Every structure is written in structure tokens, then in C-alpha cells.
Amino acid sequence: MSAAPVPLFPDWPASTDLGIRHRTSALRGKRVQVRGKFLYAGEEKYFIQGVTYGPFREGEEHLGHPEKAKRDFLLIGAAGFNTLRIYHPPGKWFLDLAAEFGLRVMVTVPWQRRVLFLDDRAVRKEIRGSVRRAARSGAGHPAILGYYVDNEIPPDLVRWYGPQRVEGFLDSLVRLVKDEDSEALAAYANFPPTEYLIPRETDFLSYNVYLHRGPDLRAYLSRLQNLAEDRPLVLGEFGMDTIRHSEEEQSNLLSLHWGEVFRGGLAGTILFSWTDEWFTDGVDVEDWAFGLVKKDRQPKLAYRAISSQTLSPHDSLIDKFPLSRTPKVSVVVCSYNGGATLRGCLEALQKLSYPDYEVILVDDGSKDDTQSVAADFPMVKNILQPNRGLSAARNVGLQAATGEIIAYTDSDCMPDTDWLYFLVATLLPGTYAAVGGPNSNPPAKNSVAAAVAACPGAPTHVLLSDTEAEHIPGCNMAYWRTVLSEIGGFDAEFRTAGDDVDVCWRLLQAGHRIGFSPSALVWHHRRFTMQAYIRQQKGYGEAEAMLRFKHMHYFDPQGSARWKGVIYGLPRFERVFHRPIIYHGVFGTGFFQCLYPKPASPWAQLVGGLEWNALTLFIFLVSVQIEPLRILPLLMLGATLL
């Protein structure tokens, strides 16, 4: 009997070098959920590693037949892919097979008619019906990852109606998906000509991007990451044609793309396409060949190249996409009466996926159970000092640190497992002296926490560009030790807040630059009571007054800070006063129709400030006795909430 391997397809030549690196298993457990910038299956990160599948000529749903799908799914799973994007709602047989092979499915719901769809009630009803039927047919199935409610609305239509109206309609389709299948993800497959189209209710942002130059792709992904803000970013399509390019070019490009996506902190990517076999608009497409395999399923070079780079459930980013080196990082946590959240912080720090780091806790004279919590973490270097303030505690941590890089977070924060990976990756090229990332609120546990989370005054970043910051908040920042020591560390005069702003401004004045990594995420608890929130804002106000006297040239005559960059997390009223500029290109034909934010409006800052809300409350109390004033506090509150 021959020992040669049996080819998976009858017309394949037997090959001993293909290999099966990944073993698939049936889907089990909870469906995929969104948490901040990433997706999770249970407690493990789920990176979308997908291929588009179909449409084919055969089958009612243009997805072929079960025997063909089985053989395809075996090859797809063997390469380490975990997601299929399809362009027609599937039958149950397809979803059952996908689940059997451990594959999740992202369904694109096609619109049969698009022309002036917002003007035609019948067309809108037809579109809504298609989305509802698709979501209902797959509701609860373990193979369903989610739905794209549409794909690439033409830019002329978006400009004709205006992005706000189109976004509103897309959001209504997302709600239909959630009505039928609350656990399914919902998104819109956007593309660069309508980059500015950003529905508010999608679970993640998704763009079909075909950029072939590494630096251009890297820069554009940074841009899209900031547009996504606190939502995950997924690339819905990316590929290269092997008729106009060689297989080697395709392999090199897709390998470059794969690395840029995951080093850039995206939640995943979907390659276009699985096979050169492609049927659309009633025609077999013969003049494009984007597949990882040929029509007869013989693998191209790209199939083998990508299969060696896919992440298995047990792979970490730093193992799969290693850094040029891994300098030791000292993580400093300063705490004053932070025992209520300290355990969660230290547990999260123990789970960081980075090979060389230490954790230093500086207890600034706490009177609660901080020390008893710290005793449960013997690997943490625990320093107890009399209460001297936040900046002094951060300097003590700096002096005790042994790492090349000093990273700071707070006792009410829980860093993401890849937090240090993204911070260090930004610092290593040597462009930046410091780096920071975003901080997001964890899900509120009660109405008070939810109210505080919605209040203005949260720490946030200020960006000069997509990758460079003017300010990074103290709960999520890292510095080269030598540079931080060079400027004298933190100013001990700032006892509760403002020290991070002061350090950033001093770094900039010394000629250094500050980087920003949108995927270096920490979960940051806001205050748990309104009294604690008011005390926090009082401390921020005192710190701002101190900053004004120390850095007078950064403030205007009214006492407001003059930022050069874009402040993230401003109140929504900002969009009314200072709508961003959209570059549409010549006659609206630009391939990359970019969104350019304007500098922050002082009016938007005014209506979101604590003083404005205090004045609103005061006028409301006065209006109880003076009837003509009763409409005024309602208008003021409306301006804040808008």
C-alpha cells in the first residue's frame, strides 16, 4: 500500500509539504462578544482571521453543496482561519457544517435595490425585510458571528442624502438584527470613499481596504483605529489579483498585511478571497483571481504563507508577531485608599502577555484595606509611605524601578492583556519618548456608576495626529526611564491630578515627542458615588489652576487650556459647533474621502463643563419660583445631552 498522502480534492497532486498545522474542533461555549477594542469568545480574545467564501454558481444560496463545503472547510481550518464572510444568507446546512469545523460566519445581507433608497418607502421596507429575515433564520446558531447590514454604499448616494441620514438608516438595520438575534454582532462594511460614514450602533467598525504599500497601510490603519475610538476595528476585505500580479507578489503582500493588522491592534481581518472560483451578477468571473487557492483548490503561495502566521487559540501576539527586543518594563501602580479596585488591577497585571516586567505598588498612606489586598500578591514589590500625594508616589515608583521603560496605571484600572506589547512596540523605533493609550469605562454595575460614567470630566488623550499625542492620561502612560529622569520626574506639587499634563508639556518643551497606541487599552473605573465624582472634579480644578500658573502660555485669558491637538471624549455638542471637514476629492470622486476634525470649540467645552451644569441646577431651583425662567434650564440641559 502506498504511503503517499491522499489528496483532499481528486485532481490535486499529492503533496507532502502542505501539512496541517491547525486542528479544527466544533464550536462550543458562548458566542463572540465585544469588549472595548477587542472581541472575546468566553474569556479568550477572538481575533477574526477570515476568508470570503463564494458566491458560487451552484446552490440556492450560491454557496455550493455540502460535499464541496466540507472539503473547503477542512482546508480553511487547516490553515488556521476561523471566520467565513459570505455574501448571501446561508441555509441551515451551511451553518451546521461551519460549526462542525469550528468556523464562524459573518453574513453580508445584500440589498436588491439601492438607488435613492431613502426616498422610496417600498425599497426601505424591502431592505428591512431582508435584514430581518436573515437575522431570524440564523438566530441563536453557534456558527453565526454576526451580520453586515450592507456593503459599500456608493459615495454619491451618501453625499446626496448626507452621512447623518444614511448612518441613521444603517443604525435602524442594526437594531433589527439585535431584535431578532441579540447575541449576534452587527456592522456595516464600509470602504475608503465613505470613510466618514460611521454608524453609532454597530458593534465594530469595518472597512474594505486594498492598499498595497506597507507604510500607507500602516498609516491608514492608525487613522481608522482612531475613527473607531473605543470600538474594535476589522478589515472586511483585502486581497491581490494573481492575474495582474504574480503569486509571489500576492504572498508577500498578504503576509505584510497580516502582520500590520495584528501588530496594529485590530480585532481581525478577512482576506478576499478563498478561491478563484467566483460567480456574481449571473456571470462566472474569469478575469480576476484573488483566491488563496485556485479553482481546483490547489494552494497558491499565499495559502502556505498565511497558514504559518495565523493565531491558534493558545498563541499570544508577542509570540506570533515578536518585537525586535523586549526591554524590561516596570509597571508602577500608585494607590491611596484604592483597596476596592486594587485586587482587579493586580490580577489584570499578573495576566499581561509580556516576557519581562515587574509590578511596583506604591501605597501612599492608605487607610483602607490596600495592604491586606497587596499581601495576596507576593510577586508585587510593595512600597508603603506616608501620604505625600500622587506625584511623589510616582517618583518613588520611578526610583524603585529596574526597567528601561516605566509604565504607569492606577489602582482603579485593569489593563488589557496585550497592554505592554502595544506600548513597547510604539516606543521601540525610538521616535517617541513616551506613549499612552485609551482608557474605557467597564460596564456599570448600577445606575449611579452609569450616571458618573456619562458625566463630563473623564481623563482622556489629546492627539496631534493619528499616532502622536499632545497629552496622555496618567492612568495609561509609559516613558523611557532615561527621558523621565532627564526632566526630573513628576512635580510633587501636584498631589491629586495634573502631574500627567505637566510632564507631557515639559517633555514637549524639551523637544521630545509623545506617541499614542489606540490598542494599548486600560479599563478605568470612574467614581462609584456622586460625592466621590465631585471630589475628583474639584481636584481636577485645583490642578488646572496650578497648571495655569506654571504653564501660562498654554492657557487663554479666560483660563481655558489651549490645546493644539484634538481632544477625545468631548461632549456630543461639539459636533454642532465644529463639524469635521470631509475631503471628497475632485467632483466627489476621491478614493480616500477623509475626515478632518477641527480644533476643539470653546462652546462645546463650556456646555460640557461642571460649571455649566452647576449653573443649570441653580437656574432650575430659581425657576421654581419664577415661571418665565422654567424653559431655560431645560434648554441648558438639552445642550449638555445633545
Side-chain angles (χ1 to χ4, degrees), residues 456 571 573 577 603-623 629-642:
F573 206 56
F577 286 113
W603 292 105
Q605 296 182 56
L606 172 66
V607 299
L610 186 62
E611 298 88 346
W612 176 272
N613 288 278
L615 181 61
T616 301
L617 178 61
F618 173 75
I619 295 177
F620 169 74
L621 295 175
V622 172
S623 69
L629 289 179
R630 290 179 184 174
I631 189 63
L632 186 56
L634 295 177
L635 294 174
M636 295 174 70
L637 179 62
T640 301
L641 297 177
L642 188 62

Side-chain angles (χ1 to χ4, degrees), residues 60 238 629:
E60 292 183 9
F238 184 92
L629 289 179

Side-chain angles (χ1 to χ4, degrees), residues 387-403:
N387 181 249
R388 295 164 53 200
L390 177 59
S391 293
R394 284 180 170 158
N395 285 333
V396 168
L398 171 62
Q399 293 163 7
T402 60

